Structure formats: structure tokens, C-alpha cells
Amino acid sequence: MTRFFYSLPPAGNKIPLSLLFKVMIGGSRNGGLEKSTALKKIIGNAFSLYLSSGRAALWLILKTLFELNPKKRKVIIPAYTCPAVASAVLKAGLQPVLCDVNLDDFGYSADDLERTFDEGVLAVIVVHLFGLPANIDQITPICRQHDVYLIEDAAQAFGNELPLTGTKLGTIGDAGFFSFGRGKPLSAIHGGLVVTISEKIYKKALEIYENLYSPSSSENIKYFPYAGFYDLLSSPYLYWMPQKIPSMHLGETIFEPDFPLTKGLKTSGHIIEGLLDSLERGKKGRMVRSQWYNNELPDTPIFKKPSRPEYPFHRYPLLIKDRVVRDKIMKELKSVGISGALFYPCPLNELPGLCDILQDSQVYTKAKQLSHSLITLPVHEGVTSRDMHNIKSVTESVLSSMV
């Protein structure tokens, strides 16, 4: 059953070479990503600004909100999330404050969030982890009650929406951001987007944005071979190669306190424009594969499947209550070429490099439980029927062997 020289990327999408050549030759007729008609269909009437990454986009939001309300410096973030969120808060000169999460939508519980507030809180960052909507309907009135800004981290949720209203994630709070980096739902391996429906926030953000560095023509041109190389190595028959390169940190969760703060590359913006037409098709595919996992993976008390199995997850999250079983499944999945099953290995206050900065000794029970029980399964367009049946066979085999 072992597959040699085969390693399926955990997430991401192909960048067609035809699209790369088209942008190289003709660029875009729309004047940039922010003016794209296809983008407007996703973000509606929200204002937008295109930056070098999702982290840079979050930094810009935080700098903007702090300039609008300079007496507050604390930002509430989930105890279980990407360390890049904490990096952006710190780089903006603000103080991250952790709050525990729940095991249903991986967002805050209302009670935990209420207990985290004090008069110094500037904003709350809600993370739509795996593209699944956090309980934003409960969180919004709490933020309004405490007079703090609500920021949506929709880095893994581009194009996803609230099931009942159809409102796009990232456009509900005071501001939100998306990421188009490596392994995101729509990936151009570069770029992040700020969105806000507030003209006041947009105008202040634009003042800061205009002073950011604009990539040169040569930097824009260098993007093309990099993107082509990335697309080539994203093949499961070649992905094992970058996995062997330590500097790429594939599959690792590390705290990086510094990162570039620039405007986005125009070339990658044009690529994103070209990929927007395939977004809905990609969402439907992810929804179908998520539903398949929910139907076909074993029904056992050890597994906790998502509460919304029909949703277009960025990755399908599966909680395995027995850590020994989870670790055995991860090992066997790797042997059949399914990579990236782990997600964040610990709560943020236990992460090397960040723990010394946060100086937070609190035990975040649910965040710790997630780090010990969660695996994620791939649902992107490159996942084949054979891959899915191999995943099913591995889970069944491991469970039967543990009886």
C-alpha cells in the first residue's frame, strides 16, 4: 500500500501555465485586482487594498484601527490559530491577548470572550478556521457592546459564506482580510487583501498604504518563473522534493516576527483575477469531497466529524479523541502519500519563540485539546478517488488494529 515518490499537497490549487503566459503577454484590462468585476462579486461594495500577504493585510488593518483609536493597544486572538496572526499584532506595536476556542466551529465561545475583555481592548480577531464560519452572529453584538472593532481573518475562507444569509465571510466585521499565499483556497503564492465596508477605515488605511513600497518591474517579472516552478512542484509526484528542503518549512508551524510590508505584486494580482472564475467550481469540489469523507469515514465515538459536513472546507477537520490512534493514522497516511495531516501543534502561548514574548502561563483547555486531537484531510482539486479511498482504508485499518 506504500506509495513511493508520491506526496499529495495538503491544500492549494494549480496555476495554469496558460494563465501565466496570458498575464506575461497582456497583463490585465481591468486596472488591477481591486477593480476586478469578478472580485466585486465576492466582496460586494466593500473597499479593498492589495498587499504582499495576508499578514501584511492584517498589519495594515491593525495600524489603521490603532491610529483611529490610539488609547487602546490590546487585540484578542484565538489561542489556537496561525502564529502569523500574533506576528501581525506584534509588528503593529500592539499586544496579543489569547482567548480559548470551542470544538464545534473552532472560534470563540461567547462566555470565554466576555471574560477576556477589559478597557484596553482595541479589537477582536475572529478566525474562520478551515474556511468554516466562526459564530460571528454571537460575537458581533459582544464587540458592539464593548465598543471594540471586529476583524475577520478569512485567510482560509475566500469566497465562503454564511449558510443562512449568503453573506461572504470577511465582509461582515469592521474589516477583514484574505490571503492568496501558498496553500490557501485560491492561491497565487503571493498576496493579501484588506476589505472593509467602512469609508472611514478605508481612507485611513489608504493613507498608510500609499506610503508602502511598490514592487519594481523586475520584482514583478521574477514572479513568473517562481509561480511556474511552484505549479510544477505542486504535483504529487514532485511535491516530495520541496518537502525535503528545510528552508521551505513545509508542514511546520513556526513563529516569524518579521515579514515584508509592501503593496502586492501587480503580476500576482492579475493571476488572482484569472483564477477567480474557477473559485465556485473549486468550492463545489471541496464540498463534494468533504461530504464524501463525512459519509465514508468510519462512524466511531473516537471520531468527531464537522458539524457542517456539506461545507466547502479549506481542509476537512477531523477530531480523533484518542491521541495514539491519531498519531498512528497520521503515520499511515504519510506512507500512502497523504501529507500535511497535522495542523497547529500547540496553543500559541506554548509555541517556541512566541511563548517568551506572550509570557502567558494560562492553560487553554480547548486549544490544547485541538492540538492533540485534530488532523486535516485534503479536499482540493488535486485529490483523486484513489487518494480518498486510501484515506478511508487507513482509518479503517488503524481502528481495527487498535481493538
Side-chain angles (χ1 to χ4, degrees), residues 76-79 98-117 124-127 134-140 142-143 362 364-367:
I76 298 175
I77 66 174
L98 304 189
C99 179
D100 209 357
V101 295
N102 68 68
L103 301 182
D104 294 319
D105 60 29
F106 314 114
Y108 306 113
S109 73
D111 291 340
D112 285 334
L113 184 60
E114 281 278 15
R115 287 192 291 268
T116 311
F117 278 105
V124 172
I125 299 177
V126 174
V127 180
N135 53 342
I136 198 162
D137 290 339
Q138 296 181 37
I139 295 169
T140 300
I142 296 174
C143 291
Q362 182 173 336
Y364 296 96
T365 307
K366 298 294 177 60

Side-chain angles (χ1 to χ4, degrees), residues 226-244:
Y226 179 64
F229 190 61
Y230 167 84
D231 188 65
L232 177 67
L233 293 182
S234 66
S235 163
Y237 296 99
L238 295 175
Y239 187 67
W240 60 271
M241 295 172 65
Q243 284 182 313
K244 300 290 186 182

Side-chain angles (χ1 to χ4, degrees), residues 50-63 84 88 91 177-178 191-194 209 212 259-264:
Y50 182 54
L51 290 93
S52 52
S53 67
R55 279 184 294 181
L58 176 55
W59 170 88
L60 178 58
I61 292 171
L62 292 167
K63 290 291 286 186
K91 196 170 181 68
F177 70 96
F178 305 107
L193 194 74
V194 171
Y209 179 82
L212 294 179
F259 52 90
L261 294 172
T262 73
K263 297 176 182 177

Side-chain angles (χ1 to χ4, degrees), residues 168-189:
K168 297 294 185 182
L169 302 183
T171 67
I172 303 165
D174 296 292
F177 70 96
F178 305 107
S179 173
F180 304 106
R182 188 175 65 196
K184 294 301 187 290
L186 191 146
S187 174
I189 63 172

Side-chain angles (χ1 to χ4, degrees), residues 213-228:
Y213 173 74
S214 295
S216 65
S217 297
S218 62
E219 288 171 308
N220 274 278
I221 292 172
K222 288 178 182 177
Y223 168 79
F224 292 113
Y226 179 64

Side-chain angles (χ1 to χ4, degrees), residues 147-222:
D147 192 28
V148 303
Y149 294 107
L150 176 60
I151 302 170
E152 288 181 84
D153 177 347
Q156 300 177 18
F158 184 67
N160 285 10
E161 56 195 33
L162 292 176
L164 296 179
T165 65
T167 307
K168 297 294 185 182
L169 302 183
T171 67
I172 303 165
D174 296 292
F177 70 96
F178 305 107
S179 173
F180 304 106
R182 188 175 65 196
K184 294 301 187 290
L186 191 146
S187 174
I189 63 172
H190 174 97
L193 194 74
V194 171
V195 293
T196 180
I197 58 174
S198 167
E199 186 174 2
K200 180 180 180 181
I201 292 175
Y202 171 71
K203 286 182 176 179
K204 177 57 68 174
L206 184 60
E207 290 178 12
I208 302 171
Y209 179 82
E210 292 294 353
N211 291 316
L212 294 179
Y213 173 74
S214 295
S216 65
S217 297
S218 62
E219 288 171 308
N220 274 278
I221 292 172
K222 288 178 182 177

Side-chain angles (χ1 to χ4, degrees), residues 1 28 73 115 153 172 217 247 289 379 385 388 392:
M1 194 174 182
S28 169
R73 305 188 70 93
R115 287 192 291 268
D153 177 347
I172 303 165
S217 297
S247 62
R289 286 181 278 274
V379 293
S385 176
M388 294 165 69
K392 178 183 178 181

